[in-house]
């Protein structure tokens, strides 16, 4: 238990997270987001609220895409064994 | 003397240009964890795991049954679990996904014993770290730096979207989010490649197509 505490002790000591660290994280997140219209914005200032909003939207979109893909995959698997055979074939080749 | 002057001037100008270059230093590269999700190798590892898991998932044994809406959900869970395994237990969201699957298993088999340790014996490391974080971590509300209610609201919504982050501090949520997004992007790439490899195997019989699956 003590070893686990010491491993995450960096968070106890840093419970007073500095604004800089938060800003760094927000910037990192901002870089991940699809750069739609971000070319106009100066790289200096990024609104945290906007980044968070876009992040939520982006995650929802990603979730939806994964759901669609899994739906298609499930339909594929539901069809006869030919799909599975094709899968195995494409893997073996 | 002249030569010295010229050399000094050239060196000084090069110094200036060096200084300029140093000032315009490029932003720090993405952390190695994010680069991991973008590597080809990681995608291949995930694709393999995904195919293995899908093969074990027996969907609708009878071909006569119509398309089951639940099966899409089952495939999604399989894909998420494979993704969580690919994360190698280093992130909160991956551990949350895995513990969700284990909890369901225990609820099915042992309805009486719902003691916490038995339910969480699988992700052992997760238990300790999640508990310790609950004791110590200030909730998102207490961070004075981002005290704006609008930002707080959005962080809360975000923490609900990312699995396993509902009661985490702001920096933790942000960190988990970046990793989660990178992982999901890889998941989408892998599943798309898998679908295209299976639905049109006859068109591209060259190695170019099968190379996708490694």
């Amino acid at each position: 238990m003590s070893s686990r505490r010491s491993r995450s002790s960096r968070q106890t000591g840093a419970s007073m997270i500095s604004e800089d660290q938060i800003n760094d994280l927000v910037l990192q997140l901002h870089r991940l987001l699809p750069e739609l219209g971000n070319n106009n914005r100066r790289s200096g200032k990024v609104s945290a609220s906007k980044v968070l909003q876009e992040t939520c939207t982006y995650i929802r979109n990603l979730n939806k895409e994964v759901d669609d893909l899994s739906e298609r995959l499930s339909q594929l698997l539901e069809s006869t064994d030919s799909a599975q055979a094709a899968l195995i074939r494409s893997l073996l080749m | 003397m002249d030569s010295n002057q010229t050399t000094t001037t050239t060196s000084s100008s090069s110094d200036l240009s060096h200084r300029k270059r140093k000032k315009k230093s490029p932003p720090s590269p993405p952390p190695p964890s994010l680069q991991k999700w973008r590597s080809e190798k990681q995608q291949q590892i995930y694709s393999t795991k995904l195919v293995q898991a899908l093969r074990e998932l027996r969907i609708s044994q009878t071909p006569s049954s119509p398309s089951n809406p639940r099966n899409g959900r089952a495939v999604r869970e399989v894909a998420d679990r494979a993704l969580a395994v690919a994360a190698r237990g280093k992130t909160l969201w991956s551990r949350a996904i895995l513990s969700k699957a284990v909890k369901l298993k225990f609820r099915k088999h042992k309805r009486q014993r719902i003691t916490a340790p038995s339910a969480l014996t699988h992700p052992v490391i997760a238990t300790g770290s999640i508990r310790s974080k609950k004791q110590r971590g200030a909730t998102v509300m207490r961070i004075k730096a981002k005290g704006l209610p609008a930002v707080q609201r959005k962080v809360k919504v975000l923490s609900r979207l990312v699995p396993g982050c509902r009661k985490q501090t702001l920096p933790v949520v942000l960190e988990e989010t970046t990793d989660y997004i990178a992982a999901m992007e890889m998941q989408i790439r892998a599943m798309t490649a898998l679908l295209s490899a299976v639905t049109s195997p006859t068109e591209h019989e060259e190695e170019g197509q099968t190379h996708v699956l490694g």
Side-chain angles (χ1 to χ4, degrees):
Chain A
M1 286 287 251
S2 57
S3 61
R4 283 184 202 136
R5 284 221 185 107
S6 60
R7 195 201 302 162
S8 41
S9 65
R10 66 180 169 91
Q11 279 173 346
T12 2
S15 58
M16 303 287 290
I17 299 287
S18 66
E19 177 102 26
D20 280 342
Q21 277 177 290
I22 295 184
N23 283 337
D24 273 344
L25 287 172
V26 172
L27 277 176
Q28 193 180 306
L29 195 52
H30 171 73
R31 263 181 262 135
L32 267 187
L33 295 174
E35 295 275 323
L36 301 168
N38 281 356
N39 297 328
N40 307 331
R41 222 180 283 156
R42 282 172 296 151
S43 55
K45 284 222 165 190
V46 174
S47 149
S49 156
K50 196 118 199 229
V51 167
L52 290 175
Q53 180 79 34
E54 287 174 8
T55 308
C56 291
T57 318
Y58 189 49
I59 291 187
R60 288 202 189 105
N61 285 341
L62 287 180
N63 260 324
K64 190 165 173 298
E65 266 193 68
V66 175
D67 279 335
D68 284 342
L69 285 173
S70 356
E71 188 64 45
R72 281 166 64 185
L73 267 177
S74 73
Q75 284 170 3
L76 199 60
L77 289 175
E78 277 169 19
S79 61
T80 58
D81 281 36
S82 66
Q84 300 227 353
L87 245 174
I88 299 171
R89 230 182 291 129
S90 60
L91 277 178
L92 290 175
M93 284 196 294
Chain B
M1 294 278 272
D2 290 324
S3 60
N4 279 346
Q5 277 180 352
T6 47
T7 47
T8 46
T9 45
T10 47
S11 61
S12 63
S13 64
S14 63
D15 275 340
L16 273 174
S17 62
H18 274 301
R19 257 181 258 143
K20 275 185 189 166
R21 268 186 228 144
K22 275 180 191 167
K23 274 184 187 170
K24 284 185 191 170
S25 61
S28 55
S33 62
L34 294 187
Q35 282 172 333
K36 169 188 92 167
W37 289 117
R38 301 221 173 114
S39 68
E40 182 79 30
K41 179 177 149 199
Q42 180 65 251
Q43 195 172 324
Q44 285 176 4
I45 294 175
Y46 174 66
S47 303
T48 319
K49 287 197 167 110
L50 181 62
V51 171
Q52 281 171 356
L54 283 175
R55 260 192 259 164
E56 287 170 23
L57 177 71
R58 292 271 164 209
I59 297 184
S60 68
Q61 298 82 354
T62 58
S64 56
S65 64
S67 55
N68 211 334
R70 271 182 317 175
N71 292 335
R73 186 74 221 164
V75 171
R76 171 77 204 263
E77 281 170 14
V78 164
D80 282 347
R81 249 182 284 154
L83 190 65
V85 168
R88 305 183 72 80
K90 286 186 191 154
T91 51
L92 270 181
W93 59 264
S94 59
R95 283 179 245 143
I97 290 180
L98 290 175
S99 63
K100 245 191 280 181
V102 172
K103 274 182 194 166
L104 274 175
K105 262 191 196 171
F106 273 100
R107 269 195 207 139
K108 273 184 188 172
H109 293 303
K110 302 177 186 175
R111 277 190 195 159
Q112 290 160 359
R113 299 194 57 195
I114 318 180
T115 52
S118 70
L120 292 174
T121 42
H122 221 76
V124 175
I125 310 171
T127 322
S129 58
I130 288 179
R131 275 197 199 139
S132 56
K133 274 175 187 167
K134 270 184 188 171
Q135 289 167 5
R136 232 179 288 111
T139 57
V140 173
M141 306 285 266
R142 280 194 219 144
I143 301 290
K144 285 179 189 173
K146 302 285 174 186
L148 304 168
V151 171
Q152 278 176 21
R153 239 185 302 133
K154 289 180 181 147
V155 172
K156 267 202 160 170
V157 170
L158 190 58
S159 67
R160 261 185 276 139
L161 280 174
V162 179
C165 291
R166 288 196 187 206
K167 291 184 188 174
Q168 294 297 331
T169 58
L170 173 62
V172 170
V173 171
L174 290 179
E175 229 180 287
E176 291 288 317
T177 307
T178 50
D179 197 71
Y180 187 55
I181 288 182
M184 276 180 78
E185 285 173 349
M186 188 215 71
Q187 186 182 28
I188 289 178
R189 282 198 300 269
M191 286 172 80
T192 314
L194 184 61
L195 267 174
S196 62
V198 174
T199 49
S200 58
T202 51
E203 288 176 19
H204 302 274
E205 292 253 331
E206 306 119 14
E207 289 157 43
Q209 184 68 13
T210 52
H211 185 66
V212 161
L213 290 171

